[in-house]
Amino acid sequence: MRRAHARRTATTIREVSDIVVTTDERPEGRQRSAEEERLLAQRRRDTRNKWLWRIAGYVVVLLIWEYGFQAIMELIAGRSLNDALLPGPIRILQTIPDIWEDGEMLSNFGATLTRIGIGFGVSFIAGALIGLFTQNKWLDSFFRDLVVVSLTSPGLVWALTGLIIWGFKPLGWIFAIFMTTFALVSVNISEGVRALPKDLLDMAKAFGVSSIDRQRHIVIPHLAPYIFTAVRFGFSIAWKVTVLTEVFSSNKGIGFQMRVTSQVFQLDEFFTWVLSFFVFALFLEKVVLQRAEDRYFRWRQEVAT
Amino acid sequence: MAEIKVKNLHKEFGVGDDRVVALENVNLDIEGHVFVSIVGPSGCGKSTLLNILSGIETASSGTVDITQDSHDANPGYVFQAARLLPWRSVMENLMFVQKERDDEARARCQRYLDMVQLGDKGDKFPGELSGGMQQRVGIARAFSIEPDVLFMDEPFSHLDAITARSLRRELHEMWKQTKKTVLFVTHDVGEAVELSNRILVFAKGGKLEDDITVDLPFPRDPSDDAVAVAKAQVLRKFEELDLLAT
């Protein structure tokens, strides 16, 4: 009885050490087990299904837009809606080459992007500085309500204020972008600074690491996620406010084009501008920001896998 | 030879009812290649002493004088948690604390990673390693700057018993080879007896109550009678000082 028990214990220990070897130091080129194959196949299936459903979402929305609305109108009113009032996706796609060939697309996009770049650039620098200043309790009191006002007030207020004071001058849109986005940046940076990893900073201090290296290797990597959040949200608001200011007070840019085309009932062109706006926003989010984030936070993915 | 001289070191926090005395007029003289453990109950100022010696905290009064062979050397520090930069690889973590980040430093870091048996993990991020491995990286980091003086603050208290035991052995080997002066904070009397030449006993309120010399040959096996007797003697001292009740 005792011997059997001893043997069982020995077997268990060997099994455990086997597991340690396979997880810790898997030899290169090892055959995958059946369970691993099953999990990989499942993962592939999940990815495929996710994409299929996503594409299905687009297709259904576009089909309803192209044919569904007209069918509903015919059912309710007994006649189809004027094509100029609700152009379908096919007609909108057809107008893109026209706008592109005119050179309108690039010049208007360029104008809007330049405004966002300058406006948000100024706002980001000022917001980050204010975020750092608010570590001081006096300066925190000084900026507190200003930050709350900026966070809660609608962009329209600042777009109109900018128009009234500065008209078509750049200060108008810089002011509107600044007022709507600096607080987002300052709140994020301030939160990040408040959560600085004191244990790591103390460690660096104990090892006599220079202040510059502490900033570079501890403070900035720690703040990076907060900065990314600030850029992501700040940019999305800057984008909307810029277009809004262009609707009111500009003779160039996507917002200006939206105003002109809607005034003359060229809804196919109007929607083309809206669509291009969406596509660009998606590109920015999914390609530019996501890529930058993936690159910067490679360590998180490595750890997760 | 490295030397640590502490004179009338006093540290307190807070005011009024919140006032806490962490260290009360501590005097200390540690010289040469010795392994000194600091033991005592929680809140007796053990970690505060190391933090003041390493420059993380400042003392309320008193003086600290650390003399090392190489004048620009910084003491090494192994913390309770590994305190590695999660966004830097293991090798980058070691390079981060080097004064000169050149090929020579890299080779030295590699040598100490090899010594803690993590020579092939230089490219890994800390989060990819187990707790024991992370602590070994912490130990390699402290050794990699080749300090004369090494501070260790309960480095094995977060680890399971088996990992802690094997790391204690590795640490003893490294100490023997590299001839450092080590100040080792622990709440584990057995650990202190196993590793140290001297054991400093602190009581609540930051008073240095006793300075015990452990004169036994190395390596010390915790199951050896002599080591068990020494441990019992230290514990008896604790009882005499009424430290166990706290």
Side-chain angles (χ1 to χ4, degrees):
Chain A
M1 203 49 202
R2 185 179 291 168
R3 193 183 296 163
H5 177 72
R7 199 161 49 225
R8 199 168 64 234
T9 313
T11 314
T12 315
I13 288 171
R14 197 167 61 242
E15 278 168 6
V16 169
S17 65
D18 278 348
I19 291 169
V20 172
V21 170
T22 51
T23 50
D24 214 9
E25 295 172 335
R26 195 177 65 198
E28 291 299 321
R30 183 181 62 81
Q31 286 283 314
R32 287 202 185 96
S33 72
E35 180 64 11
E36 274 177 300
E37 289 291 356
R38 195 185 64 75
L39 281 172
L40 281 174
Q42 169 92 43
R43 208 175 287 171
R44 274 196 295 270
R45 254 198 320 275
D46 283 353
T47 313
R48 197 188 58 212
N49 284 345
K50 203 173 81 182
W51 277 102
L52 278 177
W53 280 98
R54 200 166 182 178
I55 292 165
Y58 277 104
V59 171
V60 168
V61 168
L62 290 174
L63 280 176
I64 292 174
W65 183 3
E66 182 73 40
Y67 303 109
F69 285 136
Q70 293 295 6
I72 292 168
M73 279 304 290
E74 276 176 29
L75 203 69
I76 298 171
R79 60 183 174 83
S80 61
L81 195 67
N82 186 339
D83 201 27
L85 283 180
L86 186 67
I90 295 173
R91 188 165 157 188
I92 289 168
L93 281 178
Q94 283 165 347
T95 57
I96 293 178
D98 296 342
I99 299 177
W100 186 268
E101 273 166 26
D102 289 353
E104 292 277 302
M105 186 74 94
L106 281 182
S107 65
N108 285 294
F109 249 102
T112 304
L113 283 180
T114 309
R115 287 186 182 128
I116 297 174
I118 296 171
F120 188 56
V122 170
S123 173
F124 185 85
I125 294 168
L129 285 174
I130 291 172
L132 294 175
F133 291 159
T134 54
Q135 300 313 303
N136 175 295
K137 58 184 172 185
W138 312 125
L139 289 175
D140 184 38
S141 306
F142 183 85
F143 284 111
R144 178 165 295 226
D145 292 338
L146 191 63
V147 166
V148 174
V149 166
S150 162
L151 279 179
T152 50
S153 55
L156 183 64
V157 172
W158 306 117
L160 286 174
T161 313
L163 169 68
I164 293 162
I165 302 176
W166 289 286
F168 277 31
K169 289 198 186 90
L171 257 180
W173 45 260
I174 291 179
F175 169 77
I177 297 172
F178 177 83
M179 285 308 291
T180 45
T181 57
F182 86 89
L184 257 172
V185 178
S186 71
V187 165
N188 270 292
I189 300 284
S190 167
E191 284 297 313
V193 172
R194 216 160 280 166
L196 274 178
K198 188 176 176 304
D199 57 342
L200 294 182
L201 291 169
D202 278 350
M203 177 275 293
K205 207 169 159 190
F207 277 98
V209 174
S210 71
S211 172
I212 290 174
D213 277 342
R214 273 183 263 167
Q215 304 297 321
R216 194 176 142 209
H217 295 282
I218 299 178
V219 176
I220 292 176
H222 162 81
L223 287 181
Y226 296 91
I227 293 172
F228 269 101
T229 310
V231 169
R232 176 166 283 144
F233 287 107
F235 210 93
S236 70
I237 291 178
W239 186 228
K240 289 171 199 161
V241 173
T242 308
V243 171
L244 200 61
T245 56
E246 285 173 350
V247 168
F248 294 122
S249 55
S250 180
N251 50 15
K252 204 146 194 76
I254 297 173
F256 169 72
Q257 289 297 340
M258 284 180 179
R259 187 183 80 201
V260 172
T261 49
S262 64
Q263 276 172 349
V264 295
F265 289 97
Q266 276 181 318
L267 287 186
D268 47 354
E269 263 194 49
F270 175 81
F271 280 116
T272 305
W273 287 110
V274 175
L275 194 71
S276 57
F277 182 99
F278 287 155
V279 170
F280 186 77
L282 266 179
F283 169 79
L284 206 70
E285 166 62 33
K286 296 289 171 197
V287 180
V288 180
L289 278 174
Q290 194 72 52
R291 283 270 170 88
E293 219 171 19
D294 286 350
R295 221 182 134 88
Y296 204 84
F297 298 119
R298 189 174 65 89
W299 64 275
R300 281 188 183 166
Q301 285 162 8
E302 297 278 337
V303 171
T305 51
Chain B
M1 199 154 26
E3 193 177 0
I4 303 170
K5 272 185 193 295
V6 173
K7 266 195 193 143
N8 298 324
L9 190 67
H10 187 80
K11 173 75 180 174
E12 57 182 65
F13 303 98
V15 285
D17 292 343
D18 296 330
R19 179 173 175 264
V20 176
V21 176
L23 292 169
E24 195 180 321
N25 293 325
V26 174
N27 288 290
L28 211 54
D29 201 342
I30 296 166
E31 205 183 328
H33 173 225
V34 284
F35 197 114
V36 181
S37 282
I38 302 173
V39 294
S42 301
C44 69
K46 305 185 292 267
S47 301
T48 308
L49 177 64
L50 285 202
N51 284 345
I52 291 173
L53 291 179
S54 64
I56 294 176
E57 284 179 47
T58 50
S60 302
S61 63
T63 58
V64 168
D65 192 10
I66 300 176
T67 318
Q68 301 196 84
D69 293 338
S70 35
H71 291 292
D72 63 336
N74 222 79
Y77 204 137
V78 182
F79 300 87
Q80 198 168 6
R83 298 202 192 184
L84 304 173
L85 313 183
W87 40 76
R88 296 279 185 264
S89 71
V90 165
M91 179 53 92
E92 286 167 346
N93 263 284
L94 265 63
M95 289 298 281
F96 173 63
V97 298
Q98 307 301 317
K99 282 224 155 58
E100 303 287 333
R101 293 184 189 136
D102 50 13
D103 289 345
E104 200 183 313
R106 189 167 285 275
R108 192 168 60 238
C109 292
Q110 185 60 50
R111 199 166 66 241
Y112 283 100
L113 279 179
D114 288 338
M115 218 183 248
V116 295
Q117 295 159 33
L118 291 174
D120 58 339
K121 302 282 191 236
D123 294 336
K124 297 274 180 202
F125 288 104
E128 295 178 272
L129 307 179
S130 69
M133 286 175 170
Q134 290 185 22
Q135 198 56 299
R136 295 221 291 267
V137 176
I139 293 171
R141 177 178 62 191
F143 274 89
S144 71
I145 59 168
E146 305 204 315
D148 296 328
V149 175
L150 190 59
F151 302 125
M152 303 183 94
D153 187 3
E154 303 196 34
F156 309 135
S157 63
H158 281 346
L159 304 176
D160 62 273
I162 297 169
T163 312
R165 187 168 174 179
S166 78
L167 281 186
R168 270 198 289 274
R169 277 192 198 146
E170 273 176 36
L171 172 64
H172 175 74
E173 282 305 313
M174 288 170 87
W175 171 70
K176 215 168 61 180
Q177 283 173 34
T178 53
K179 307 233 179 270
K180 305 210 178 301
T181 306
V182 177
L183 230 66
F184 185 92
V185 165
T186 178
H187 58 260
D188 180 344
V189 173
E191 186 172 71
V193 171
E194 200 183 321
L195 293 169
S196 328
N197 307 101
R198 268 170 78 183
I199 298 177
L200 306 175
V201 182
F202 274 74
K204 265 222 155 121
K207 278 188 218 127
L208 174 57
E209 292 282 3
D210 208 346
D211 187 344
I212 304 167
T213 304
V214 185
D215 202 5
L216 292 173
F218 288 108
R220 297 172 187 165
D221 191 318
S223 56
D224 266 4
D225 287 347
V227 175
V229 168
K231 185 181 166 185
Q233 281 172 345
V234 177
L235 280 172
R236 215 165 16 250
K237 199 73 170 181
F238 265 55
E239 241 167 80
E240 282 169 25
L241 295 168
D242 202 21
L243 297 180
L244 292 179
T246 56

